[in-house]
């Protein structure tokens, strides 16, 4: 090692806590302020841990693509240890043959175009239920998020687990172990899992304080992971029962069936153990629910603040779809304005404003600075998405910018990173974008959206909470009115 290490610029750390005093309850906003002061690559100390934040297109490209072999690992955190079966899921598993195999399974089995196509009927059915639920409450003030999360949980549950375990508010009813968890409880479990996977847990950064669990996060991680384990064990037993009963005629009907088959496959490079099956299933359930719900809620919120945009969206829908049918997934390429609203929402309200953290495997140099091995590496897509050098009037919600400049969602130009980029980018992006775009299109096609009572667009609050995702702090309350001929709702 060189004797003098040329670390990126950053604030002076305090003994023991480092710069943790500068990180508030919304870490992406704290980090945004720091990057504005110190530049596109900064060095911080979280306790004794080195942290590097990249917040420009150039640095993001180096981290996520050009030098990705050194940045492809995830840090070892209490959340990874306690909530993902000791890092045997996809998100927190370290770089190596196990993770590479997991990603291969995502591409070839779980999210292949064929598999996504074969599950389209589920997305259509749940979309129809969502439209029916909104229609049933037209004229009332509704918490939109509740209806959206039922839709997205049902889509993902049916694809991953084979059926909606949330139907009727109960789950697992009538089987060996009786009711395991209610629908409402399941949603709370997912929210808790997301929150705990994104929190700044002091024990991760000041290891000798870890045993005290001063914030109580580790205790909560253990509680939520026990709840998930009970639920997933039940699901696995049910699937194994069907497999035994059907013998040679068994055909995999959902992602858990596939994972259990793979766990028995002697040709797999690395054995997929039972905990791995549960960890993968949990990742798919968690990844597929909260992220699309929060994005659609933010989109309707932004539109309520700029009602003139509803007109543009519905003009496009009336022209392309007409008033006598609902929007199908295959219509989306013909609805560029709706797609632009979805992208603009993800620019201003990214699900993961700091992406998911990485860890350096070896000492390296980035932009002339030394980055030591085992540094926590963060890419601030929040800052990149608000950079005035990249976006005109960056704080304004202006979907047209994505029509003028057709940037894709796959992070190929590193200016727009809703799903990350490179080899560790979100494997579920095609499902996520399908659910977001077609739900948004149908909610705008089928309904006129208003604010309740005397509330005006200036009263809408825009605060978020931070975890592995960043949903609205206070859920949006809104009123829907039918927009299409009434017979269209008898579906
Ligand atoms: C709105 C929808 C979604 C958004 C915005 C989103 C965003 C992200 C982001 C930003 C990452 C981190 C990428 C990085 O480290 O560079 C990620 C990773 C991941 N996402 Fe998603 N996601 C979405 C939907 C989904 C869905 C539907 C699934 C699965 C059903 C999923 C499963 C995962 C998994 C397993 C990872 C970890 C990948 C790895 O570490 O190798 N996501 N996602």
């Amino acid at each position: 090692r060189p004797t003098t290490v040329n670390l990126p610029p950053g604030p002076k750390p305090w003994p023991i806590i480092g710069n943790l005093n500068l990180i508030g309850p919304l870490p992406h906003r704290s980090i945004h302020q720091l990057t504005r002061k110190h530049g596109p690559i900064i060095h911080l100390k979280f306790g004794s841990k080195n942290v590097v934040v990249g917040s420009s297109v150039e640095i993001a490209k180096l981290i996520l693509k050009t030098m990705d072999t050194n940045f492809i690992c995830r840090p070892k955190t209490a959340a990874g240890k306690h909530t993902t079966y000791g890092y045997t899921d996809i998100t927190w598993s370290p770089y190596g043959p196990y993770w590479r195999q997991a990603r291969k399974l995502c591409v070839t089995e779980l999210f292949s175009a064929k598999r996504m196509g074969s599950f389209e009927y589920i997305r259509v059915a749940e979309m129809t239920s969502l439209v029916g639920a909104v229609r049933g409450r037209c004229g009332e003030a509704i918490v939109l998020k509740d209806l959206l999360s039922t839709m997205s949980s049902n889509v993902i549950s049916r694809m991953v687990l084979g059926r909606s375990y949330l139907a009727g508010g109960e789950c697992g009813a009538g089987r060996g172990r009786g009711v395991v968890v209610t629908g409402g409880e399941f949603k709370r479990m997912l929210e808790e899992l997301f929150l705990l996977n994104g929190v700044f847990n002091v024990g991760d950064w000041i290891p000798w304080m870890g045993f005290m669990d001063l914030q109580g996060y580790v205790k909560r991680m253990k509680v939520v992971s026990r709840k998930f384990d009970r639920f997933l064990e039940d699901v696995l037993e049910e699937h194994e029962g069907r497999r035994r009963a059907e013998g040679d005629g068994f055909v995999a009907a959902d992602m858990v069936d596939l994972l259990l088959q793979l766990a028995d496959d002697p040709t797999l490079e690395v054995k997929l153990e039972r905990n791995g099956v549960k960890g993968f299933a949990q990742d798919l359930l968690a990844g597929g629910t909260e992220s699309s719900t929060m994005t659609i809620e933010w989109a309707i919120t932004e539109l309520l603040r700029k009602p003139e945009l509803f007109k543009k969206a519905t003009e496009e829908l009336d022209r392309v779809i007409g008033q006598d049918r609902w929007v199908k997934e295959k219509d989306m390429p013909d609805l560029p304005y709706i797609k632009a609203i979805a992208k603009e929402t993800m620019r201003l309200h990214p699900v993961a404003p700091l992406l998911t953290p990485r860890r350096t495997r070896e000492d390296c140099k980035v932009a002339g600075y030394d980055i030591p091995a085992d540094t926590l590496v963060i890419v601030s897509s929040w800052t990149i998405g608000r950079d005035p050098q990249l976006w005109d009037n960056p704080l304004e919600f202006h979907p047209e910018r994505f029509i003028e400049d057709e940037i894709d969602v796959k992070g190929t130009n590193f200016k727009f990173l809703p799903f990350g980029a490179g080899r560790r980018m979100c494997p579920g992006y095609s499902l996520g974008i399908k659910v977001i775009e077609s739900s948004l299109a149908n909610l705008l096609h089928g309904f006129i959206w208003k604010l309740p009572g005397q509330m005006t667009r200036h009263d809408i609050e825009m605060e978020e909470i931070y975890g592995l995702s960043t949903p609205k702090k206070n859920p949006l309350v809104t009123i829907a009115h039918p927009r299409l001929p009434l017979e269209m709702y008898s579906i």
Side-chain angles (χ1 to χ4, degrees):
R1 266 201 199 196
T3 42
T4 51
V5 181
N6 178 28
L7 294 170
K12 199 168 178 305
W14 289 91
I16 301 177
I17 60 167
N19 302 114
L20 282 172
N21 59 316
L22 301 177
I23 307 297
L26 296 175
H28 54 296
R29 288 187 183 263
S30 311
I31 285 177
H32 182 59
Q33 294 310 328
L34 291 168
T35 58
R36 284 185 8 168
K37 190 164 169 205
H38 297 282
I41 176 160
I42 65 170
H43 174 260
L44 301 169
K45 278 271 187 187
F46 289 173
S48 56
K49 194 99 187 149
N50 285 307
V51 180
V52 164
V53 183
S55 55
S56 70
V57 166
E58 295 70 28
I59 303 292
K61 188 171 178 183
L62 284 172
I63 293 172
L64 303 174
K65 187 177 174 198
T66 323
M67 299 178 65
D68 85 328
T69 311
N70 199 26
F71 293 99
I72 204 161
C73 239
R74 298 279 190 216
K76 294 232 181 274
T77 61
K81 181 174 169 193
H82 297 295
T83 68
T84 67
Y85 297 92
Y87 316 102
T88 58
D89 69 331
I90 310 169
T91 310
W92 294 108
S93 65
Y95 177 70
Y98 183 82
W99 170 79
R100 278 200 303 272
Q101 175 175 276
R103 295 291 304 208
K104 196 167 148 207
L105 297 179
C106 285
V107 176
T108 56
E109 299 284 348
L110 303 174
F111 295 108
S112 67
K114 194 168 159 223
R115 188 80 56 198
M116 283 300 104
S118 75
F119 288 140
E120 188 178 346
Y121 78 98
I122 293 177
R123 299 192 291 276
V124 172
E126 293 302 332
M127 179 61 56
T128 308
S129 299
L130 171 68
V131 166
V134 176
R135 171 67 187 107
R137 300 190 52 194
C138 273
E140 283 175 46
I142 52 171
V143 177
L144 182 61
K145 180 184 173 172
D146 289 346
L147 304 183
L148 293 172
S149 74
T150 299
M151 180 273 297
S152 48
S153 308
N154 284 348
V155 165
I156 201 75
S157 297
R158 288 177 66 182
M159 287 174 58
V160 178
L161 310 173
R163 67 185 173 89
S164 166
Y165 279 71
L166 312 185
E170 296 298 326
C171 141
R175 287 178 297 112
R177 294 169 180 226
V179 175
V180 178
V181 61
T182 65
E185 173 66 359
F186 188 69
K187 283 183 201 167
R188 282 190 293 279
M189 279 160 58
L190 283 175
E191 278 171 10
E192 178 79 345
L193 185 70
F194 252 80
L195 183 101
L196 294 172
N197 270 269
V199 288
F200 274 55
N201 172 46
V202 168
D204 288 336
W205 318 122
I206 312 177
W208 60 266
M209 288 177 97
F211 80 99
M212 291 186 263
D213 188 22
L214 289 175
Q215 297 144 297
Y217 287 144
V218 172
K219 188 171 169 217
R220 282 166 64 181
M221 288 169 192
K222 289 180 181 168
V223 170
V224 78
S225 108
R226 268 197 301 276
K227 288 184 183 170
F228 265 106
D229 191 56
R230 266 197 81 199
F231 172 70
L232 290 166
E233 267 303 325
D234 235 52
V235 169
L236 260 55
E237 280 174 25
E238 188 178 84
H239 281 71
E240 285 162 338
R242 184 172 81 83
R243 204 164 153 208
R244 273 194 302 276
E246 293 181 13
D248 291 344
F250 175 83
V251 180
D254 56 51
M255 292 185 181
V256 166
D257 278 342
L258 277 169
L259 290 169
L260 285 167
Q261 264 180 343
L262 290 163
D264 281 352
D265 184 346
T267 65
L268 274 195
E269 190 188 339
V270 188
K271 172 103 181 98
L272 182 59
E273 304 286 355
R274 192 173 186 83
N275 277 352
V277 172
K278 290 189 280 186
F280 280 33
Q282 185 183 288
D283 264 19
L284 301 175
L285 290 170
T289 308
E290 173 77 8
S291 41
S292 38
T293 299
M294 75 150 251
T295 306
I296 305 164
E297 187 191 35
W298 276 120
I300 301 284
T301 306
E302 286 286 4
L303 292 174
L304 283 164
R305 277 166 34 109
K306 275 195 144 186
E308 65 277 15
L309 303 188
F310 277 122
K311 191 161 169 275
K312 283 191 162 186
T314 47
E315 270 170 13
E316 180 177 84
L317 287 159
D318 287 342
R319 183 168 35 80
V320 177
I321 308 293
Q323 291 249 326
D324 58 354
R325 70 176 181 90
W326 291 93
V327 184
K328 298 186 181 126
E329 284 179 2
K330 68 172 176 2
D331 294 316
M332 286 318 303
D334 301 323
L335 297 171
Y337 197 70
I338 305 292
K339 287 171 83 70
I341 294 174
K343 285 184 186 169
E344 181 67 339
T345 306
M346 293 192 280
R347 178 184 72 84
L348 276 178
H349 306 284
V351 165
L354 301 176
L355 298 187
T356 312
R358 314 281 181 107
R359 174 171 66 90
T360 44
R361 299 165 67 210
E362 291 168 3
D363 293 352
C364 65
K365 261 191 189 301
V366 173
Y369 295 112
D370 293 316
I371 317 283
D374 199 29
T375 295
L376 178 83
V377 180
I378 290 170
V379 173
S380 175
S381 72
W382 179 270
T383 300
I384 297 173
R386 280 165 165 71
D387 185 341
Q389 288 179 354
L390 301 171
W391 310 94
D392 292 336
N393 296 323
L395 299 184
E396 195 192 331
F397 187 80
H398 182 62
E400 287 73 10
R401 69 176 90 241
F402 281 102
I403 299 209
E404 289 145 20
D405 187 353
E406 272 195 38
I407 304 167
D408 69 28
V409 295
K410 292 187 252 175
T412 39
N413 73 0
F414 301 90
K415 158 177 172 180
F416 179 50
L417 298 165
F419 297 96
R423 286 191 284 166
R424 201 120 205 186
M425 95 171 249
C426 176
Y429 80 92
S430 60
L431 172 63
I433 203 78
K434 274 186 208 309
V435 172
I436 291 168
E437 288 180 347
S438 63
S439 316
L440 189 58
N442 279 305
L443 291 177
L444 295 175
H445 189 46
F447 303 97
I448 298 164
W449 296 91
K450 299 271 178 216
L451 289 166
Q454 303 303 309
M455 197 175 164
T456 74
R457 63 199 175 108
H458 306 291
D459 301 326
I460 302 177
E461 63 75 34
M462 300 295 283
E463 279 179 79
E464 70 271 0
I465 47 172
Y466 182 82
L468 205 56
S469 72
T470 41
K472 270 182 103 292
K473 184 174 175 192
N474 298 306
L476 174 71
V477 179
T478 177
I479 301 185
H481 298 281
R483 200 184 77 85
L484 298 176
L486 288 183
E487 65 271 15
M488 282 292 293
Y489 300 89
S490 49
I491 42 176

